[in-house]
Amino acid sequence: MSIRIGILGYGNLGRGVECAVRQNPDMELKAVFTRRNPEHVKILTETACVCPVSEAPDWKDRLDVLILCGGSATDLPMQTPEYAKLFNVIDSFDTHAKIPEHFANVDAAAKENSKVAIISVGWDPGMFSLNRMYANAILPQGKDYTFWGRGVSQGHSDAVRRIAGVKDARQYTIPVDSALAAVRAGENPVLSTRQKHTRECFVVTEEGADKTRIEEEIQSMPNYFADYDTTVHFISEEELQRDHSGIPHGGLVLRSGVTGWEQENRHLIEYSLKLDSNPEFTASVITAYARAAYRLSHEGVSGCKTVFDIAPALLSAKSGEELRASLL
Amino acid sequence: MSIRIGILGYGNLGRGVECAVRQNPDMELKAVFTRRNPEHVKILTETACVCPVSEAPDWKDRLDVLILCGGSATDLPMQTPEYAKLFNVIDSFDTHAKIPEHFANVDAAAKENSKVAIISVGWDPGMFSLNRMYANAILPQGKDYTFWGRGVSQGHSDAVRRIAGVKDARQYTIPVDSALAAVRAGENPVLSTRQKHTRECFVVTEEGADKTRIEEEIQSMPNYFADYDTTVHFISEEELQRDHSGIPHGGLVLRSGVTGWEQENRHLIEYSLKLDSNPEFTASVITAYARAAYRLSHEGVSGCKTVFDIAPALLSAKSGEELRASLL
């Protein structure tokens, strides 16, 4: 019998989960829940229903895992605890500073209702967190580095779009090569924000807009750009569509550490991702963890979990025997 | 109270475990068991005993985890099932083809005696296996690549040393740059053995030895060198000591996969290690898993496990709260 999956929220992430479920033969997408009018939401899976979100509770016994594809700012802090009362759930909550609070809320709801919830699943938080954790456990004496990019930051793109005279914009975050080289060389550099990443903006302006003012507003914007070296390119709407319509991302997690009685030996652990589609990769990670939630729930486990708590084998469709024979 | 560690076998790996235990304040090395005369074995930890291996059973209730540092060819197939009757144990069994059989033997012994055994811990098998497994679960449609090196292969170095007229030798395994570049470019190449790695030998000969014959014998040696492009350098004993006395190693695990309804998006997951000391890094991984064995045993778990079965958080000295706040 397949693992019956529901998706709540059908944006880029929800659509990515739909695609990922199709790649996993032991899973079946049963329903997509939307806050929009279901008649206006076209999904790709012919055998799945599109339902108004108000009907989700009716599916309580017809889904094994509900995947929450809303945003971290306002959706997930409400949705994950709410739906953890009815379903095993997965979310990609990524507001790092608020994870402890979110964990506590979700844990209480899930435990009370004997459900499994896995939060903050994706690549950062998610696979990057896992790699930071493994590397720290293996090399207790060392230094961590995380670089993001080259990739599109939605938050920074939105910030540029809010500037008067900007019609559309795309912002790329880019690791600084020399910083990365210093880390790889085992130099354990102390890197400022400016030394780690640069930012590159591609901006389409309204007719007659003052480009000099827009460039200055971008480069001096506190939190978003002021602490970085930012390059601004003004391009046409056609160029933006043609060259910048993808949502690539990626990055690197490194730990540089020492071993030996006198700490005489150096080691470098590096994990990197190069992703054509940030939401589809995030969705693929989430979908693998949906399998783990399903299995844990069958084992009688309940409560909130993160990637740190999940034994790797639970993610794989293969049995323990197959994994040991083929991948160990 | 500290986790009380014992080491069985005091070669490079055992010494590496000793160094790693020192880096983990929640652990204490209590005893090193040796087949040699204990009076001739000098260890670094002043507070630990050196005991003949025959006395190991007497330590049954004085150690939380016994780390087996013998070889995979003859030591571990006997030792791990034997000591899993008395102790929670960890080994680094690395004969990939025999892992299922070893697992079964160790599992039976450990379960019967309510002990936890974690086998095949290190970096390959070990961290490389984990990365293959995670990447396969996340990207079900894709292709795996593992490259080893640049690093010293003990087995290949030994094979060269067995040739008549060779006094000493060191062999390096080296990934082929162009193969790695093709994988990173998402070309999904089909690579022959020769296309993936080259081999480089540094050889010290006996006086008057026939170097041409030695070079030919190396390059044509079946299994070890015949399928590779092998370069042979003849050097002096002093040069070998000066330039090749380390035991560096490393390598890369890559998975290149696709997502999307039409498989239209490519992704590359890459994990790499650059290690000054192969045995010390292996020992550091093993030591982290000793913590997991200790905790699982306290939870009442028993039987044989591999890295696939161990929730990542069990490796870390930090609590779940600390991990979520600092590394997620």
Side-chain angles (χ1 to χ4, degrees), chain B residues 148-255:
Chain B
W148 294 277
R150 185 177 192 260
V152 172
S153 163
Q154 299 289 0
H156 287 78
S157 300
D158 290 344
V160 175
R161 284 191 206 102
R162 285 191 294 265
I163 293 174
V166 171
K167 200 169 170 187
D168 203 353
R170 196 58 53 102
Q171 193 270 181
Y172 295 89
T173 306
I174 305 161
V176 174
D177 282 342
S178 59
L180 191 49
V183 172
R184 284 180 175 150
E187 293 169 17
N188 284 0
V190 176
L191 298 167
S192 67
T193 298
R194 192 177 299 275
Q195 287 171 320
K196 282 185 74 183
H197 297 95
T198 55
R199 297 194 178 279
E200 192 170 15
C201 303
F202 294 86
V203 180
V204 180
T205 56
E206 311 278 4
E207 226 180 282
D210 178 350
K211 293 182 179 173
T212 309
R213 191 231 345 130
I214 289 172
E215 181 166 356
E216 281 170 13
E217 272 197 52
I218 294 172
Q219 288 172 339
S220 62
M221 194 186 296
N223 303 319
Y224 285 90
F225 294 101
D227 298 334
Y228 300 85
D229 292 336
T230 302
T231 312
V232 179
H233 307 278
F234 292 99
I235 61 173
S236 69
E237 201 156 8
E238 293 68 41
E239 286 170 315
L240 193 80
Q241 283 302 319
R242 188 191 64 203
D243 302 334
H244 304 284
S245 61
I247 321 175
H249 219 314
L252 309 99
V253 170
L254 305 102
R255 186 165 175 87

Side-chain angles (χ1 to χ4, degrees), chain A residues 118-136:
Chain A
I118 312 180
I119 62 160
S120 303
V121 181
W123 59 274
D124 198 0
M127 297 312 296
F128 272 20
S129 323
L130 266 184
N131 276 280
R132 284 188 285 261
M133 206 233 83
Y134 274 117
N136 271 266

